[in-house]
Amino acid sequence: MNMPLCLCDGFSYAQYEHLGYLLGYPDPAQDLYTAPELPKDIPRIQLRLAGEKRKHNEGRVEVFYEEEWGTVCDDDFTIHAAQVVCRELGYSDAVSWSPSSKYGKGEGRIWFDNVHCTGNEKSLAQCESNGIGVSDCKHTEDVGVVCSDKRIPGFKFVNTLTNNINSLNIQVEDVRIRPILSSYRKRNPVTEGYVEVKDGGKWKQICDDEWTHMNSRVICGMFGFPGDKRYNTRVYKMFARRRKPTYWDYSINCTGNEAHLSSCKLGHTLAIKANSTCEQGTPVVVSCVPGRAFAPTPMAGYRKAFRQEVRPDYQPLVRLRGGAVVGEGRVEVLKNGEWGTICDDNWNLVAATVVCYTKLKLHQAQTRYRMKTNAISARMGPVHMNEVKCSGFEKSVTECPFNMDKDSEGCSHEEDAGVRCNVPAMGFQRRLRLSGGRNPFEGRVEVLMERNGSLVWGTVCGEGWGTMEAMVVCRQLGLGFASHAFQETWNWPGAVNADSVVMSGVRCAGTEMSLSHCLHHGEYLSCPKGGGRFAAGVSCSETAPDLVLNPQVVEQTTYLEDRPMFMLECAYEENCLGSTFSSTPANSYRRLLRFSSQIHNNGQSDFRPKASRETWVWHDCHRHYHSMEVFTHYDLLSNNGTKVAEGHKASFCLEDSECDEGIEKRYECANFGEQGITVGCWDTYRHDIDCQWVDISDVKPGDYIFQIVINPNYEVAESDYTNNIVKCRCRYDGHRIWMYNCHIGGSFSAETEDTFPGLINNQVTHR
C-alpha cells in the first residue's frame, strides 16, 4: 500500500550526514540539556501542543495534571510565558503566542489562568498564577504558542509524573534513517535502514516490539517517500546480533496520518531486562518506496538522480502552482474540465498530506509544507472546494468530503489553500554555491563538477545565461525565486581557486531542481570569454511578481477598425503593422483587430522592468520612455497552429492604472516616473492606444485562435509563467469579428487545451 506524504517544517537532514552533503548538528558535548530539578512544592505537570491548522512546533498549550488534560487561559499571557512553555517542550526559543483559541477550543479543565512568568522558570507550574485549576475563563480563550524549529541540544524527555502518560507528543532532537547494508549506503537518497532518534545527544534505535505499519508510514512520509515495502528481516537480525544496539526507552504510537514523528504519541516505557530494552525484538527497520523521479541511484549517477516524468495517458486531478520549489504552491483541482482552487477554511495538515501524496504519486515532486498562500500568488478563476475535511487516507484530495453548498461563498483568492510538501533530501544544494555577493542571496554561481576523476569547484559560462537558469539556481539553493540573472560578475570576485569554467552551454526550462539537470555541454566546454569576471551570477528573492491577463476583458473589448495610413506613422516606427504595410497606398487603410489588455500583478513583489532607468529609451511619438524591448506578443493562429498575423508591444510604459481596495498606486510613467506594476494593481492598455492590436489586413475570413503572451522572453522573473498566456477562439467573416472562450492557458483540462495549439510556455525548445 502506498502512503500519503507527511508534511513538516522541521525536516531532518541527519540521515545524509554520511554523504557529506549537509552540515551536522551541534556537538552533543556542548550545551547539553540538563533535566530541571523542581522544588517539592511545585506541581508536577506535562505539556503538549495540540489543535487545528498547526505544525509540529506550534499549537494550543495543553497541560496534563491529576490524570487529566486541560488548557491555559490567555489572560495576562506574555512572550515570557511562551518562552517557558517552549523550553519545557524542548524547543530553544519561543517565536510568538496567540490568544483566543487560534488553534481551536480545547477540552477539560483550564489549569492555569492569569499566568505571570519572567521567562527564567523551569516549568510553567513555577510561574505565578491564580493557582492550578483556578480560572474564570472559557475555552474560547485558550492560548497557543509558536516555538522555534530548533531543538535544545541534548534535550531528553523526562516523565516527571508517577503515572505513565502514553499520550504525550514525542520530543526528540532529531530523527534519521541510517543505512546499514552496504548497498544502501551508496544510494542517494537513503531509502532503507534503522530508524534512529537523537536523544540526549546520542543516536538510539527503536525496539520493534510494538512497531506498526502506521509508524513506518509516518517515518517514510516525513522523509519524502510515498510508501514503505517489505525488506529482508533475516539480514537485519544477523546484523543486530553482531553489533549490540542502543535502544531508546520508549515505544511509538502513530495513527498514520501525522505530519511528523513529533506529532505521534509516546508509547509505553520499555522495561529494562538484562541491560536491554528490547530483549525479544530487534531495531526498527523501514524500507521506503520513493517516487520514480527520486529513485535511488549510485553516487556515480548523481546527474540522473532526479527525472521529471509525466504520464501522457493520465490527466491529474490535482496540481500545484506558484511555488518557489518543486512541491510547493497553491493547490488547484480539476472540476468539470476547469482548474480551480480550494478555500483554506478548515484547511489543515491532514488535507495537505493528502495533496502531497497525490502529487508524489503522479509527478514525484515534493518539498515541505506551507499552510497559507500568503507567499504564493493568487489566481483568477473559480474556487472549487471549501471546508475540506480529509481523514488522511484518501488517495486524492478530490475524494475528501467538503461543503458542496459553499464552493466559493465568502472565499476570495486571498484564501487559496497551499502546501509545502517533503521531498527526499538529494543533497543538491551542496553541489552549488554563490560566492562574492553582499549577502547570501546573490553572487557568482560556482558548481562542484567532476574533472579528471576528482570533484572541483568552478564557474558557469555567462554566455546565454538568463532568467530561467537563474531560477533553477535559486531553487536548488532554497533561496526562492530569481530576481536577476547576470552574464558578467565584475563586482563579485568569488573564490580565487574557482575561476575556471566547469560548465557551459546551460539551457534550463526553469522547472529543474538542479542546474546539472539542465541541458549543458559535457566534458568539452565552450566559453570564448572564459570564467572569472565573465562567469554567470544570480540575485535571488524570497518573493516574485506574477502577471496574469484578464481573459474576460479581452473577450468583451474586441472589435475591428479600418485605420487610415496617415494615422499609423508612430505604429510604423514601432513595427506594429503587417509585412505588406510598405506597399499599401497612402490614401488607403489597414484593418486592425483591437482589444484591451488588463494585466494584473497577483504575485508577492512588484513587477519591475529588467532594464535600469538610465537605459530606458524615449519615444517621441508616444511621449514616454520605453522600459522593455518586448513585453507582449499578440498572435493570430490558424486552427493547426500556423501564425497568420502578429502584433506586439515593442516596449511598454509600465504603470499602475488601478489597484485593489486599500492599495496605493506606486508607478506612473508621466515625467520620467518610475515604471512597474504594484502587487494588487493592474496596468490597463486600452483598445484605442497605438499598437494595441493585430494587423489583419491580409487575413482571410475564417476560424482562428487568438493568443496573447506576457513577458514572452522571460526577461523578468515571475513565480508562475504558466498563467502568462491567454487564448481565445476567434471567428472573422470579413466584416465582423467574434472572440469567445477566452481563458488563461492551462486553466482547462488537457483535452480542451489540446484544441488550442501554439506556444507552450516554459519549454526550453521555444527559447
Side-chain angles (χ1 to χ4, degrees), residues 224-445:
F225 304 120
D228 62 315
K229 61 183 178 68
R230 294 176 181 271
Y231 58 90
N232 190 338
T233 56
R234 183 178 175 184
V235 174
Y236 285 99
K237 285 180 179 178
M238 291 173 58
F239 188 89
R241 284 198 297 266
R242 291 202 309 264
R243 184 173 298 179
K244 188 176 181 181
T246 303
Y247 288 105
W248 193 42
D249 296 335
Y250 303 93
S251 61
I252 290 172
N253 182 17
C254 301
T255 62
N257 62 1
E258 288 87 353
H260 189 267
L261 183 66
S262 61
S263 297
C264 296
K265 302 303 180 185
L266 199 67
H268 294 99
T269 303
L270 300 177
I272 299 177
K273 298 177 182 178
N275 296 323
S276 172
T277 55
C278 193
E279 190 176 56
Q280 302 300 320
T282 59
V284 166
V285 175
V286 296
S287 184
C288 302
V289 181
R292 286 176 295 169
F294 295 96
T297 59
M299 291 302 295
Y302 183 89
R303 282 187 57 210
K304 300 179 182 178
F306 174 79
R307 301 179 299 278
Q308 285 188 312
E309 298 181 16
V310 179
R311 289 172 51 186
D313 61 328
Y314 189 84
Q315 170 69 55
L317 298 178
V318 182
R319 70 183 186 186
L320 301 181
R321 285 290 184 268
V325 294
V326 175
E328 172 186 289
R330 175 183 64 251
V331 182
E332 297 186 359
V333 295
L334 188 63
K335 179 181 178 182
N336 298 327
E338 185 175 8
W339 288 98
T341 59
I342 298 176
C343 184
D344 70 357
D345 290 353
N346 296 339
W347 189 250
N348 59 20
L349 276 168
V350 176
T353 298
V354 176
V355 169
C356 290
Y357 165 73
T358 305
K359 290 297 296 171
L360 184 74
K361 186 177 179 183
L362 299 180
H363 295 293
Q364 300 82 41
Q366 310 301 310
T367 51
R368 290 179 286 175
Y369 173 78
R370 186 162 204 144
M371 178 65 70
K372 296 256 189 175
T373 50
N374 293 345
I376 301 171
S377 58
R379 70 181 292 275
M380 301 176 184
V383 178
H384 281 333
M385 300 176 75
N386 188 15
E387 298 182 359
V388 176
K389 295 181 180 178
C390 300
S391 69
F393 295 94
E394 294 86 355
K395 293 182 178 179
S396 170
V397 72
T398 56
E399 297 178 4
C400 297
F402 65 99
N403 191 334
M404 301 183 71
D405 298 326
K406 292 179 63 180
D407 278 8
S408 58
E409 183 181 336
C411 283
S412 68
H413 283 298
E414 296 299 317
E415 300 174 86
D416 287 341
V419 297
R420 179 186 288 170
C421 313
N422 289 334
V423 293
M426 303 296 292
F428 292 146
Q429 70 275 28
R430 301 294 290 176
R431 295 249 168 168
L432 187 74
R433 69 189 184 193
L434 300 184
S435 184
R438 295 163 296 182
N439 57 62
F441 286 82
E442 67 178 20
R444 186 177 77 177
V445 178

Side-chain angles (χ1 to χ4, degrees), residues 608-623:
R608 299 298 308 277
K610 177 182 178 181
S612 57
R613 185 185 177 109
E614 62 274 8
T615 62
W616 296 352
V617 178
W618 173 256
H619 196 282
D620 200 46
C621 260
H622 295 142
R623 310 298 298 173

